[in-house]
């Protein structure tokens, strides 16, 4: 398996969880990190604070011993702080996220990995937050929030890797969702077709579909007379040849509106081919 990003350093528990869930080959690995600039910012803040306090005591004409003791205390605290901040960031639990062919795995520190296939993800949201100073975008934090039965997690960062991992997770989930939706629509269309072929009638709110035509308000309109059944904004419009006004129904009143539109279009086209 070709290494990409941080793949050589990723904990064995992450690919192990993927293998257990049969998530396929690894594609991308991401690790959240604290930037070193934050360490030096804390260090410089400590030094500036110590200098300001020393200046206050010097101006107040305290004794030299008091200044010396205070200087040693503040200097020691600044030194310890300069060491403690990067060490704390270094030993902070590392968050890992890896994208596989058939799913994703996330691990926070020594906790058990959260693993799930694409079709197990129940929600996925991506956000990009700009850090603006004086009208200039200094950085952009990319985050992706994932929900699945095994657990929820969020991956974020202001690097290109964070943007990449978010895009891979969102695209992988969307691809599977679209495929599942297409498969479901195909199965439901086949079921609807069998029902109509056997002489059945299927109701979609105020509309009733059959091979004879489209019924609305007690009137059956032959499919050959219907020129269009389309969605216009939030309204479903049925245009009948010879009628001045189309039939308009709010889409909210038509359950399974997508299936209704697909079936109506197929029946309308079939009637013209047979006619």
């Amino acid at each position: 398996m070709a290494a990409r990003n941080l793949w050589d350093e990723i904990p064995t528990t992450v690919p192990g969880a993927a293998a257990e869930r049969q998530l396929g080959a690894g594609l991308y690995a991401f690790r959240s990190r604290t930037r070193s600039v934050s360490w030096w910012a804390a260090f410089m803040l400590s030094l500036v604070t110590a200098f300001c306090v020393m200046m206050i005591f010097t101006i107040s004409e305290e004794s030299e011993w008091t200044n010396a003791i205070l200087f040693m205390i503040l200097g020691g605290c600044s030194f310890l702080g300069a060491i403690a901040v990067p060490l704390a960031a270094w030993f902070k639990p590392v968050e890992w996220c890896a994208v596989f062919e058939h799913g994703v795995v996330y691990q926070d520190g020594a906790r058990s990995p959260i693993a799930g296939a694409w079709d197990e993800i129940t929600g996925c949201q991506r956000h990009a937050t700009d850090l603006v100073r004086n009208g200039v975008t200094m950085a952009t934090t990319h985050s992706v929030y994932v929900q699945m039965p095994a657990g929820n997690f969020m991956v974020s960062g202001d690097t290109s890797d964070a943007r990449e991992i978010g895009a891979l997770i969102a695209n992988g989930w969307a691809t599977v969702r679209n495929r599942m939706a297409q498969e479901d629509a195909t199965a439901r269309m086949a079921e609807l077709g069998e029902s109509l072929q056997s002489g059945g009638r299927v109701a979609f709110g105020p509309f009733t579909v059959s091979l004879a035509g489209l019924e609305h308000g007690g009137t059956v309109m032959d499919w050959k007379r219907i020129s269009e059944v389309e969605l216009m904004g939030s309204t479903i419009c049925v245009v009948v040849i010879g009628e001045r006004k189309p039939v308009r129904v709010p889409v909210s009143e038509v359950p399974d509106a997508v299936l209704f539109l697909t079936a109506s279009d197929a029946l309308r086209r079939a009637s013209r081919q047979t006619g």
Side-chain angles (χ1 to χ4, degrees):
M1 180 170 56
R4 186 182 181 188
N5 201 16
L6 301 170
W7 201 263
D8 287 337
E9 306 174 27
I10 199 168
T12 56
T13 50
V14 172
E20 182 180 352
R21 297 300 302 276
Q22 298 181 352
L23 299 182
L27 303 178
Y28 205 87
F30 174 80
R31 178 182 68 184
S32 64
R33 291 173 291 184
T34 303
R35 287 194 168 189
S36 60
V37 66
S38 62
W39 307 347
W40 289 109
F43 175 70
M44 294 303 297
L45 179 62
S46 300
L47 290 184
V48 170
T49 302
F51 177 77
C52 293
V53 174
M54 281 296 302
M55 289 298 296
I56 292 174
F57 274 85
T58 300
I59 295 174
S60 63
E61 297 182 355
E62 292 286 342
S63 64
E64 294 182 359
W65 278 107
T66 302
N67 291 341
I69 293 174
L70 183 60
F71 177 77
M72 287 187 292
I73 293 175
L74 293 177
C77 291
S78 300
F79 179 76
L80 293 176
I83 296 178
V85 170
L87 285 179
W90 181 265
F91 290 104
K92 177 184 177 182
V94 178
E95 295 178 292
W96 286 93
C97 186
V99 174
F100 293 82
E101 182 181 0
H102 303 301
V104 61
V105 180
Y106 170 85
Q107 183 173 10
D108 182 10
R111 298 180 181 179
S112 299
I114 299 174
W118 296 123
D119 57 1
E120 294 177 307
I121 296 178
T122 57
C124 182
Q125 300 177 352
R126 289 183 66 196
H127 300 281
T129 306
D130 293 331
L131 175 61
V132 181
R133 292 179 181 174
N134 299 325
V136 179
T137 302
M138 307 300 295
T140 301
T141 300
H142 304 274
S143 60
V144 57
Y145 181 71
V146 180
Q147 297 172 297
M148 62 174 65
N152 305 333
F153 65 88
M154 183 179 70
V155 177
S156 63
D158 57 355
T159 63
S160 59
D161 290 336
R163 182 178 67 251
E164 179 74 9
I165 196 77
L168 286 173
I169 294 175
N171 292 340
W173 176 66
T175 300
V176 172
R177 293 276 293 186
N178 292 337
R179 188 189 70 221
M180 293 174 61
Q182 292 176 358
E183 292 175 352
D184 180 66
T186 301
R188 294 175 67 187
M189 275 295 296
E191 182 180 354
L192 176 62
E194 292 179 1
S195 177
L196 296 177
Q197 289 295 335
S198 62
R201 300 164 70 248
V202 181
F204 292 89
F207 295 108
T208 300
V209 175
S210 67
L211 293 181
L214 178 63
E215 181 179 346
H216 177 265
T219 302
V220 178
M221 298 169 282
D222 191 286
W223 291 113
K224 296 179 181 179
R225 294 184 56 225
I226 298 176
S227 61
E228 291 292 342
V229 180
E230 59 181 353
L231 178 64
M232 299 183 63
S234 60
T235 304
I236 291 180
C237 296
V238 180
V239 182
V240 182
I241 299 174
E243 298 290 338
R244 298 183 59 183
K245 293 183 178 181
V247 177
R248 299 178 182 272
V249 175
V251 68
S252 58
E253 298 182 7
V254 181
D256 295 329
V258 175
L259 181 61
F260 168 73
L261 292 170
T262 305
S264 298
D265 185 67
L267 291 169
R268 185 178 59 83
R269 293 176 182 275
S271 66
R272 291 191 174 184
Q273 293 176 357
T274 57

